[in-house]
């Protein structure tokens, strides 16, 4: 049941190209099975010919017998090479297809996450997302490969059984019923254990990522309070559960082989001795049956261990496929920026605007006001008054609980309930600054391909943000790597680099959330003065607690 469900889920979420590739690989696996079956038939024929006794051979033309032996010998060599070569090709096709499936799933899951509404992230833990994109996508690769291995095992086992049945039906029935009964017992014994293992690994994987994130994110506090051992122990406990569960699953999937090999081969040996002593079976047929059994038992074991692997990894397949929502990416792919021109804007108006976070009971209420094109507005207010939330509402990251944000155009037309970032190119600085572990150049021109970066814009943005002199004093200048999250820079340098990023795009509307909080008063005032003077026609909305900086703006809006 788990195999059928996992295969159906896999095929449902594959694109057309990968689905066709899956079908092609499955057909090749059937070809592999046919070759395996033919190998046993050829082996039986070849061994019977080369073991023909001298008495019987006197009745046959000697040259004819030699030619026949050479012919079937060559056929045997060709078929055994073809059988093993097809096994290698099957392995290569399966692993490559599985890797493509994993890549597709991880990419589509990330694309889905990136296109989710901003409010979705407010209730999500980054550890869950990282675990899905890394660990669960890798396990879905294993699950896809194991599904293909079960298919391979089924067809090859069936073909080998048919070959043995053609040679000797009684031995064939004995072998197949013995193996089916034995693996049925093991399946019943380990089924619930493998299911529990899947749940344990799925649950603890995201907790492991969370533990790592929290340890590295709080490294200063951990060092000050000497919590290194506690954090390492917490990680170790979670890691132990995952690794020991995985070890158990590997044992449960591999151990039946050794028991069944010993029992099955012993039984086949006794059975063939009986048949051979009573001259019921030819030595060639016996050799072919032994070869078939030698290939059959590992093949069935492969199917069983792959089934066990699917039981363990199916949870990851469910998690990553449930994370993929192609409708989201299809609906937003056609959204283009600059659906309106900046010169067309007359003003943006807030009417009866209210917002409540899903996890909060408090309703934030805003006064009505208009933002005219070219306005320079400072927003002030006490902590918790909704300043940052207001920027997110204006940008379009959040949807108002009540009220509207409307845009009035110069031609008199009005757009209601707008998401400004979808309509026009804007610049934005948030309080939480995230820098990539790349060069200063790449961080300023974030998201752009390196060979398409405008160096004129880079220079202009770095001068306005008061970074230019600092950068030119560095040995590698704009090619200096800033480190993970910009750890090689000070708080003020991070803020100015973030401002340079917002300015690089030559945005006509800028939203700035405390862009100078890490700067001294003199530097902060100098940066804001440059910003206003170099963007005379732009609309700038800035949150600040600094009344001296607020005095540089055309208007101040104070939130209660």
């Amino acid at each position: 049941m788990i195999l059928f469900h996992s295969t159906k889920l896999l095929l449902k979420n594959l694109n057309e190209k990968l689905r066709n590739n899956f079908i092609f690989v499955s057909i090749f696996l059937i070809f592999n099975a046919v070759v395996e079956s033919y190998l046993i038939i050829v082996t039986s024929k070849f061994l019977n010919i080369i073991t023909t006794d001298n008495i019987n051979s006197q009745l046959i033309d000697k040259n004819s017998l030699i030619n026949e032996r050479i012919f079937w010998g060559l056929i045997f060599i060709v078929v055994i090479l073809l059988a093993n070569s097809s096994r290698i090709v099957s392995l290569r096709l399966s692993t490559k297809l599985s890797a493509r499936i994993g890549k597709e799933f991880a990419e589509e899951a990330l694309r889905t996450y990136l296109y989710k509404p901003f409010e979705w992230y407010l209730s999500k833990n980054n550890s869950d997302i990282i675990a899905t994109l890394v660990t669960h996508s890798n396990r879905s690769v294993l699950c896809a490969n194991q599904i293909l291995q079960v298919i391979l095992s089924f067809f090859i086992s069936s073909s080998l059984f048919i070959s043995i049945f053609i040679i000797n039906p009684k031995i064939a029935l004995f072998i197949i019923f013995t193996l089916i009964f034995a693996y049925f017992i093991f399946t019943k014994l380990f089924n619930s254990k493998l299911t529990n293992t899947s749940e344990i690994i799925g649950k603890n994987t995201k907790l492991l990522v969370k533990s790592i994130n929290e340890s590295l994110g709080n490294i200063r506090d951990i060092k000050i309070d000497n919590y290194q051992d506690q954090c390492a122990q917490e990680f170790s406990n979670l890691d132990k559960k995952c690794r020991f569960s995985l070890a158990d699953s590997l044992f449960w999937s591999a151990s039946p082989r050794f028991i069944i090999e010993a029992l099955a081969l012993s039984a086949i040996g006794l059975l063939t001795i009986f048949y051979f002593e009573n001259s019921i079976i030819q030595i060639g047929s016996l050799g072919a049956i032994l070869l078939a059994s030698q290939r059959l038992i590992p093949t069935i074991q492969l199917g069983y261990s792959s089934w066990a692997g699917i039981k363990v990894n199916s949870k990851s397949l469910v998690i990553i496929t449930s994370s993929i929502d192609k409708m989201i990416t299809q609906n937003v792919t056609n959204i283009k920026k600059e659906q309106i021109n900046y010169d067309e804007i007359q003003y943006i108006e807030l009417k009866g605007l209210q917002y409540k976070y899903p996890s909060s009971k408090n309703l934030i209420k805003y006064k009505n006001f208009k933002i005219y094109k070219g306005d320079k507005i400072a927003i002030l207010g006490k902590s918790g008054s909704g300043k940052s939330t207001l920027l997110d509402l204006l940008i379009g990251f959040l949807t108002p609980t009540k009220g509207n944000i409307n845009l009035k155009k110069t031609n008199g037309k009005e757009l209601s309930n707008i998401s400004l970032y979808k309509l026009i190119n804007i610049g934005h600085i948030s309080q939480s600054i995230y820098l990539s572990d790349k060069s200063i150049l790449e961080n300023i021109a974030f998201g752009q391909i390196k060979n398409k970066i405008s160096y004129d814009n880079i220079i202009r943005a770095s001068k306005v943000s008061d970074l230019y002199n600092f950068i030119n004093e560095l040995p590698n200048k704009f090619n200096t790597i800033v480190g993970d999250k910009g750890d090689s820079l000070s708080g003020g340098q991070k803020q100015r680099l973030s401002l340079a990023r917002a300015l690089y795009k030559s945005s006509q509307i800028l939203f700035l959330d405390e862009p100078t909080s890490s700067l001294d008063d003199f530097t902060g005032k100098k940066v804001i003065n440059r910003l206003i003077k170099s963007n005379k026609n732009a609309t700038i909305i800035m949150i600040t607690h600094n009344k001296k900086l607020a005095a540089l703006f055309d208007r101040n809006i104070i939130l209660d």
Side-chain angles (χ1 to χ4, degrees), residues 378 380 532 544 546-556:
L380 300 94
I532 293 173
T544 183
N546 191 322
K547 292 182 179 179
K548 291 180 180 179
L549 289 181
L552 301 174
F553 286 75
D554 301 334
R555 280 197 290 158
N556 288 179

Side-chain angles (χ1 to χ4, degrees), residues 225-341:
D225 297 322
N226 198 29
Y227 284 157
Q228 292 94 330
D229 290 338
Q230 290 93 318
C231 291
Q233 187 59 49
E234 179 186 346
F235 174 83
S236 177
N237 291 337
L238 294 170
D239 190 50
K240 179 182 177 180
K241 290 179 182 178
C242 282
R243 295 191 187 278
F244 277 46
S245 296
L246 187 59
D248 287 341
S249 69
L250 291 173
F251 172 75
W252 294 328
S253 62
S255 56
R257 174 181 177 178
F258 305 105
I259 299 170
I260 288 173
E261 272 188 355
L263 293 175
L265 290 177
S266 298
I268 291 169
L270 292 173
L271 198 63
T272 50
I273 288 171
F274 170 76
Y275 273 90
F276 190 67
E277 286 294 326
N278 291 278
S279 301
I280 298 173
I281 190 169
Q282 294 178 304
I283 193 168
S285 299
L286 173 61
I289 290 171
L290 291 175
L291 176 63
S293 301
Q294 185 268 334
R295 296 176 84 89
L296 178 64
I297 294 171
T299 301
I300 294 179
Q301 173 60 31
L302 173 66
Y304 170 79
S305 59
S306 296
W307 168 83
I310 293 169
K311 290 286 289 184
V312 173
N313 295 315
S314 60
K315 184 72 175 179
S316 292
L317 183 63
V318 171
I319 289 172
I320 194 162
T321 51
S322 64
S323 301
I324 297 171
D325 188 346
K326 293 184 179 178
M327 290 302 296
I328 288 181
T329 57
Q330 287 170 2
N331 289 340
V332 297
T333 299
N334 295 324
I335 292 177
K336 295 180 180 178
K337 292 289 182 69
E338 298 184 12
Q339 292 185 9
I340 60 171
N341 190 287

Side-chain angles (χ1 to χ4, degrees), residues 391 394-395 420 426-430 509-513 539 541:
L391 287 198
L394 285 168
I395 292 169
L420 200 60
I426 67 168
H428 173 242
I429 300 176
S430 66
I509 302 179
L510 296 172
F511 295 94
L512 314 175
D513 193 349
T539 303
I541 299 107

Side-chain angles (χ1 to χ4, degrees), residues 353-357 362-366 384-387 389:
L353 193 65
Q354 298 180 22
Y355 185 78
K356 185 177 79 68
Y357 284 97
N362 297 325
L363 186 67
I364 306 171
K365 298 180 180 180
Y366 297 98
S385 59
K387 299 185 297 296
T389 302

